[in-house]
């Protein structure tokens, strides 16, 4: 294979180095070539970000005949040394908040649901400590992880209880009284100061490494290669740290993408320059392909949030009734369950007053959705908040919706058959698709500037929001379909970038909920209001079409915009849209 000058410089490097590799720059291929070029058949450890990356890397190293390379994840490495040695029993998922209440016999002390709020913060403190490089809990300030004023006030009041509860759970796991979590054995791995007997350690996706694992790596005598993309850091909410900024080795770069064309590279660069609104930033130089690679038919819709993704998945199967196969990255069930096992259906049953059908102990303790939302404010439980939004949006239709989506969903082995793949940006990381459609729930530049002006602005979080859009944009190998609100002002037109016109509505990031008129009418507060809205829609639908509207309709329809979105954009019924398209000469079966 022909290597770029940057790849050659990395392969010929000596000593520990950092590699900042932009999306699609062939970093894994470069690392394989680096390993192959090491003299003397040295022992090499490659640390992958997750299991799927580990399997892919194993295949590539084996194809190169590199039997001297051992491929692990941080957890698989720690598991072998800690779990086997201590004969621990490992829990598949973390402990539910209700289980922590029972184990520690927490009391509410007369305040509503206090014990569950305390348990939630104990769970979060556990995660914060286990993923940090810190040895002692007392050296951490859990309050620094919170932003919501109510959450800060609550934790300040009960800090000692939360900290002591965290210690108690750690002690129970350490003694084997209860099953240990994956985070726990990784932390214990760090605390025993392991020696890794390798000549080289290749640390991939280092921009989203846990502080605990980075601490282990930096203490080793091996030559270290820290690889990542500073602009793909999107797991700060999991207490990830950017190892490229923590390690102090020579910095090398991979700035040429083999995935996407130059126009997409330019767009990605312009989006990253939005960071200049928060802090002085140099524009990132990204070099793309002169033209796309040979493309297949793998299409993906990528969203910032589970809610945004679900809305678009529903629109897709509604507007395309002949669709036979869809696929959700990470398994469709993962979009209806929180990490702690709380189900979307628990929240729905709470709204319906069917507490006997609620399985989750925390949700079951609530009398209604209002109480659950109070709990969310005190705990900053983002996943639970998303479930509440979905329940409010769809109500009892959730059962039929999920049944339909699951019926169309194919397994991993048939992923290539999917007419559309749906993924959040976090699950799409490391993936690439022939055509990408972005959901309009990412942060826009104007909203970014507005949020940054606020006194309580969380700059790190805003930077990460820009990274999320950058990651989403750079998943495409060919065509990118992007809402106009996400395109930098003055960005030139491109045959590879299809800009979708949208109508802004009031959500946190000034983005559109692409609901059909049926859903809009469904969620009015009274039947009378629903009738009024429906009559208004019918009145609008009867208005004559202007020449300008006809032209807009033709362009948007030819670019593939779903009918449900056209109804929202033109404020007309689905029937009116379809009838006008027929009048304009479009054949609709």
């Amino acid at each position: 294979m022909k290597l770029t000058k940057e790849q050659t410089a990395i392969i010929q490097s000596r000593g520990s180095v950092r590699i900042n590799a932009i999306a699609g720059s062939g970093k894994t291929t470069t690392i394989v070539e680096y390993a192959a070029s090491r003299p003397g058949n040295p022992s090499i450890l490659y640390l992958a970000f997750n299991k799927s990356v580990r399997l892919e890397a194993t295949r590539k190293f084996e194809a190169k005949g590199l039997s001297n390379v051992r491929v692990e994840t941080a957890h698989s490495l720690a598991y072998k040394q800690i779990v086997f040695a201590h004969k621990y029993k490992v829990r598949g998922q973390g402990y539910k908040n209700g289980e922590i209440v029972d184990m520690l016999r927490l009391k509410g002390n007369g305040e509503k649901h206090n014990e569950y709020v305390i348990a939630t913060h104990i769970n979060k403190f556990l995660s914060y400590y286990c993923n940090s490089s810190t040895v002692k809990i007392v050296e951490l300030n859990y309050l620094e992880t919170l932003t919501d004023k109510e959450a800060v006030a609550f934790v300040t009041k009960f800090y000692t209880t939360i900290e002591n509860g965290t210690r108690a759970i750690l002690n129970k796991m350490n003694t084997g009284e209860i099953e240990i979590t994956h985070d726990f054995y990784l932390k214990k791995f760090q605390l025993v100061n392991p020696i890794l007997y390798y000549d080289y350690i290749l640390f991939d996706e280092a921009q989203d490494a846990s502080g605990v694992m980075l601490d282990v790596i930096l203490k080793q005598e091996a030559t270290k290669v820290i690889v990542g993309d500073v602009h793909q850091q999107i797991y700060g909410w999991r207490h990830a740290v950017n190892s490229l900024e923590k390690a102090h080795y020579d910095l090398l770069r991979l700035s040429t993408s083999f995935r996407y064309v130059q126009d997409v590279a330019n767009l990605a660069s312009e989006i990253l320059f939005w960071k200049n609104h928060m802090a002085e930033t140099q524009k990132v130089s990204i070099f793309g392909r002169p033209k796309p690679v040979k493309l297949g038919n793998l299409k993906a819709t990528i969203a910032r949030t589970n809610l945004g993704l679900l809305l678009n998945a529903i629109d897709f199967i509604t507007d395309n009734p002949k669709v036979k196969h869809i696929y959700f990255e990470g398994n469709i069930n993962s979009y209806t369950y929180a990490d702690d096992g709380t189900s979307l259906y628990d929240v729905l049953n709470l709204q319906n007053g069917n507490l006997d059908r609620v399985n989750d102990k925390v949700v079951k303790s609530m009398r209604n959705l209002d109480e659950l939302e109070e709990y969310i404010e005190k705990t900053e439980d983002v996943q639970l908040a998303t479930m509440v939004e979905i329940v409010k949006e769809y109500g009892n239709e959730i059962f039929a919706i999920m049944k339909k989506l699951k019926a169309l969903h194919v397994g991993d082995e048939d992923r290539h058959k999917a007419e559309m793949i749906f993924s959040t940006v976090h699950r799409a990381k490391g993936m690439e698709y022939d055509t990408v459609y972005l959901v309009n729930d990412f942060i826009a530049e104007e909203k970014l500037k507005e949020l940054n002006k606020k006194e309580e602005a969380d700059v790190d979080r805003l930077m990460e929001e820009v990274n999320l859009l950058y990651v989403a944009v750079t998943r495409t190998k060919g065509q990118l379909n992007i809402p106009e609100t996400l395109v930098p002002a003055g960005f030139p037109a491109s045959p590879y970038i299809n800009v979708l016109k949208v109508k802004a509505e009031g959500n946190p990031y000034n983005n559109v909920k692409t609901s059909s008129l049926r859903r809009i009418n469904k969620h009015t507060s009274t039947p009378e209001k629903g009738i009024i809205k429906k009559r208004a829609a019918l009145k609008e639908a009867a208005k004559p079409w202007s020449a300008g509207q006809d032209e807009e309709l033709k362009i948007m329809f030819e670019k593939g915009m779903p009918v449900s979105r056209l109804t929202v954009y033109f404020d007309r019924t689905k029937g009116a849209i379809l009838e006008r398209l027929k009048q304009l000469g479009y054949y609709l079966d």
Side-chain angles (χ1 to χ4, degrees):
M1 63 174 290
K2 185 177 180 180
L3 300 172
T4 66
K5 290 182 180 179
E6 290 177 327
Q7 289 176 314
T8 301
I10 290 168
I11 292 167
Q12 294 178 350
S13 67
R14 296 292 181 266
S16 295
V17 295
R18 296 172 295 155
I19 302 172
N20 189 41
I22 58 101
S25 59
K27 63 182 174 64
T28 305
T29 299
T30 306
I31 290 303
V32 170
E33 292 297 326
Y34 173 91
S37 69
R38 298 307 93 186
N41 195 38
S43 58
I44 301 175
L45 173 66
Y46 174 89
L47 279 176
F49 182 68
N50 55 33
K51 185 178 179 181
S52 62
V53 175
R54 177 189 178 188
L55 293 173
E56 178 66 13
T58 299
R59 184 186 65 78
K60 289 185 176 181
F61 282 115
E62 287 178 349
K64 196 72 175 178
L66 297 175
S67 58
N68 60 319
V69 178
R70 180 179 172 186
V71 182
E72 300 279 2
T73 64
H75 283 91
S76 68
L77 195 65
Y79 188 96
K80 292 168 183 175
Q81 184 162 334
I82 299 300
V83 178
F84 286 167
H86 296 271
K87 297 181 180 179
Y88 283 128
K89 290 184 178 179
V90 180
R91 187 179 178 86
Q93 291 183 317
Y95 285 97
K96 291 186 177 183
N97 299 326
E99 292 174 317
I100 288 179
V101 169
D102 291 341
M103 280 191 288
L104 300 181
R105 298 179 181 178
L106 297 174
K107 303 296 181 184
N109 297 323
E111 294 191 43
K112 188 167 54 179
H113 309 304
N114 253 20
E115 66 271 35
Y116 294 107
V117 180
I118 289 171
T120 300
H121 287 294
I122 289 173
N123 238 336
K124 290 186 172 185
F125 203 158
L126 280 168
S127 175
Y128 182 39
Y129 169 69
C130 286
N131 283 283
S132 74
S133 60
T134 303
V135 173
K136 297 180 180 180
I137 289 180
V138 71
E139 296 171 0
L140 290 176
N141 181 5
Y142 173 62
L143 282 166
E144 292 178 353
T145 69
L146 306 173
T147 55
D148 184 84
K149 290 181 180 179
E150 284 206 36
V152 170
F154 182 91
V155 171
T156 300
K157 183 177 180 180
F158 294 98
Y159 196 92
T160 301
T161 302
I162 293 167
E163 185 178 72
N164 289 339
T166 303
R167 294 178 192 276
I169 295 296
L170 287 168
N171 185 60
K172 286 177 182 291
M173 286 194 283
N174 191 47
T175 60
E177 181 181 340
I178 61 175
E179 293 176 329
I180 66 171
T181 62
H182 294 287
D183 279 353
F184 175 82
Y185 68 72
L186 186 58
K187 184 65 179 180
K188 184 151 186 170
F189 182 60
Q190 175 220 7
L191 295 178
V192 300
N193 292 313
I195 298 174
L196 304 178
Y197 295 99
Y198 294 94
D199 299 307
Y200 294 86
I201 297 177
L202 315 177
F203 194 23
D204 201 0
E205 293 291 341
Q207 78 283 342
D208 273 320
S210 63
V212 63
M213 199 59 204
L214 177 61
D215 184 66
V216 171
I217 298 302
L218 293 181
K219 289 177 179 177
Q220 305 306 312
E221 292 186 2
T223 297
K224 293 169 276 289
V225 179
I226 311 292
V227 190
D229 180 354
V230 294
H231 299 297
Q232 289 194 65
Q233 184 179 21
I234 60 174
Y235 283 97
W237 53 280
R238 283 188 182 174
H239 315 299
V241 297
N242 191 338
S243 303
L244 291 165
E245 295 176 349
K246 299 288 184 181
H248 303 291
Y249 309 136
D250 288 344
L251 179 64
L252 301 175
R253 300 181 186 278
L254 289 174
S255 57
T256 299
S257 175
F258 301 100
R259 178 184 298 157
Y260 42 83
V261 296
Q262 187 61 52
D263 288 355
V264 173
N266 293 341
L267 176 62
S269 179
E270 289 294 328
I271 287 170
L272 288 177
F273 196 58
W274 289 356
K275 293 182 180 182
N276 200 48
H277 296 307
M278 281 82 74
E280 189 172 345
T281 305
Q282 294 289 324
K283 186 165 283 191
V284 181
S285 296
I286 303 176
F287 303 99
R289 303 178 63 91
K291 61 181 181 180
V293 294
K294 185 177 180 180
L295 299 175
N297 196 36
L298 202 63
K299 299 178 181 178
T301 293
I302 300 176
R304 166 68 180 85
T305 63
N306 282 353
L307 177 59
L309 192 69
L310 190 61
L311 286 166
N312 272 263
I314 293 166
D315 277 347
F316 182 76
I317 63 173
T318 300
D319 296 330
N320 301 278
K322 293 184 178 181
V323 165
K324 294 181 179 179
H325 305 299
I326 61 173
Y327 180 85
F328 280 77
E329 298 284 14
N331 192 307
I332 190 170
N333 290 325
S334 64
Y335 293 86
T336 58
Y337 286 87
D339 289 343
D340 66 358
T342 306
S343 167
L344 179 65
Y345 304 111
D346 287 332
V347 179
L348 177 60
N349 282 319
L350 174 64
Q351 176 174 266
N352 291 338
N354 299 324
L355 291 179
D356 57 315
R357 298 181 185 177
V358 176
N359 295 315
D360 182 78
K361 192 168 184 178
V362 175
V363 178
K364 199 179 187 74
S365 72
M366 308 292 166
R367 288 181 297 180
N368 50 50
L369 218 55
D370 289 340
E371 283 194 5
L372 184 59
E373 289 185 291
E374 288 178 22
Y375 167 82
I376 290 169
E377 286 182 359
K378 292 179 180 178
T379 60
E380 294 189 345
D381 192 324
V382 177
Q383 290 182 320
L384 200 51
T386 298
M387 288 183 179
V388 169
E389 287 300 313
I390 293 173
V391 166
K392 284 183 173 181
E393 178 74 15
Y394 293 108
N396 290 323
E397 288 189 28
I398 288 172
F399 293 109
I401 288 168
M402 295 311 300
K403 183 178 180 180
K404 176 70 172 176
L405 290 174
K406 288 180 179 180
L408 295 173
H409 187 266
V410 295
D412 294 346
E413 67 282 359
D414 291 322
R415 177 176 177 268
H416 63 283
K417 295 180 181 178
E419 289 146 90
M420 183 65 73
I421 293 173
F422 294 94
S423 180
T424 60
V425 63
H426 287 95
R427 289 185 174 93
K429 190 175 180 182
M431 302 293 185
E432 59 182 23
Y433 310 95
D434 298 303
T435 302
V436 167
Y437 298 83
L438 297 191
V439 175
N440 200 26
D441 63 349
F442 292 85
I443 197 165
E445 185 176 14
E446 289 306 311
K447 191 64 179 180
L448 186 74
K449 291 191 287 187
E450 178 188 328
L451 291 173
N452 187 55
K453 289 177 182 177
K454 293 185 177 181
E455 187 176 340
E456 67 276 15
D458 185 340
V459 173
D460 289 339
R461 185 183 71 83
L462 294 178
M463 291 283 198
E464 194 159 299
E465 289 296 332
V466 176
N467 290 349
L468 286 165
L469 180 55
Y470 162 71
V471 171
V473 163
T474 54
R475 296 310 94 194
T476 185
K477 292 163 60 179
Q479 186 83 7
L480 174 67
N481 299 274
I482 181 171
E484 62 179 350
T485 53
L486 304 180
V487 179
F491 189 80
S494 164
Y496 303 109
I497 301 172
N498 181 26
V499 179
L500 303 173
K501 192 171 181 63
V502 295
K503 287 183 67 177
E505 296 179 5
N507 73 31
Y509 288 155
N510 193 32
N511 295 314
V512 182
K513 285 185 179 179
T514 53
S515 307
S516 64
L517 288 176
R518 178 184 61 79
R519 282 208 305 273
I520 293 172
N521 288 333
K522 172 183 173 293
H523 290 286
T524 49
S525 57
T526 65
E528 290 79 13
K529 286 185 179 179
I531 292 169
I532 291 169
K533 283 200 172 187
K534 192 169 184 179
R535 286 172 63 87
L538 290 171
K539 185 177 180 181
E540 178 65 24
K543 286 184 179 180
W545 289 77
S546 68
Q549 287 177 322
D550 280 345
E551 190 61 27
E552 275 191 304
L553 179 62
K554 288 191 288 185
I555 292 172
M556 294 164 77
F557 181 71
E558 288 174 2
K559 286 185 175 181
M561 182 172 284
V563 173
S564 64
R565 300 189 191 184
L566 294 174
T567 63
V568 175
Y569 180 80
F570 290 103
D571 286 330
R572 295 175 187 263
T573 63
K574 183 176 181 179
I577 296 289
L578 294 175
E579 181 60 30
R580 191 58 181 171
L581 286 169
K582 288 179 182 178
Q583 292 172 3
L584 292 172
Y586 291 95
Y587 174 74
L588 303 170
D589 55 10

